[in-house]
Amino acid sequence: MKYSIYKNIFSAAVFCLLIGVGQVLSQSTVTGGISGRVVDPQGAIIPNATITVTNNGTNKTQNANATDDGTFRFTNLQPGIYTVEVAFEGFANFKRESVVVEVGQITTVTASMSVTAGDVQVTVDAPVIN
């Protein structure tokens, strides 16, 4: 009987200790992130655009593609200043500098891309005269 009481007290103490360690570890976040959406000038989504984030301090880059709903997310980024670049065919490249990433925060960037003219070829045939 006495052994059973000590076993229960020991089990409860270990359980409380594990919960406390878990809470401490979950509060020790040391990274942040960048998320956002890629849209055209009218606000329509642009899916599958290529996004590159560069840590200005370390020059480390990460790449991803926007999802089908035009969103993107980079997590586990070191705190610092970043540059976000977005590219998609038919649109001018988007670049946002000085994006601040803070510990435990997700910084939001909306990449509004403008349409480019691209190469246009015009061919004119001379009229046929009878």
Side-chain angles (χ1 to χ4, degrees):
M1 178 78 168
K2 196 174 190 181
Y3 176 75
S4 178
I5 293 172
Y6 288 124
K7 182 179 175 186
N8 289 338
I9 292 172
F10 179 75
S11 296
V14 169
F15 179 74
C16 290
L17 181 64
L18 290 176
I19 288 176
V21 169
Q23 288 177 346
V24 168
L25 290 177
S26 68
Q27 294 174 358
S28 62
T29 300
V30 295
T31 60
I34 298 173
S35 69
R37 183 171 222 165
V38 183
V39 296
D40 69 10
Q42 285 73 39
I45 61 167
I46 299 175
N48 304 316
T50 302
I51 299 97
T52 303
V53 295
T54 304
N55 182 320
N56 296 350
T58 64
N59 222 22
K60 181 180 177 186
T61 63
Q62 292 186 34
N63 298 307
N65 288 337
T67 62
D68 290 340
D69 64 354
T71 60
F72 61 90
R73 187 175 185 96
F74 293 88
T75 57
N76 297 322
L77 298 176
Q78 291 180 346
I81 308 297
Y82 285 76
T83 298
V84 177
E85 297 177 272
V86 182
F88 192 73
E89 188 175 336
F91 290 87
N93 289 346
F94 171 89
K95 185 174 187 178
R96 169 88 38 90
E97 297 176 322
S98 301
V99 176
V100 178
V101 172
E102 297 176 344
V103 173
Q105 302 293 318
I106 301 293
T107 303
T108 303
V109 174
T110 300
S112 183
M113 302 183 73
S114 59
V115 180
T116 59
D119 295 331
V120 178
Q121 264 188 334
V122 178
T123 305
V124 178
D125 292 329
V128 177
I129 299 174
N130 288 334

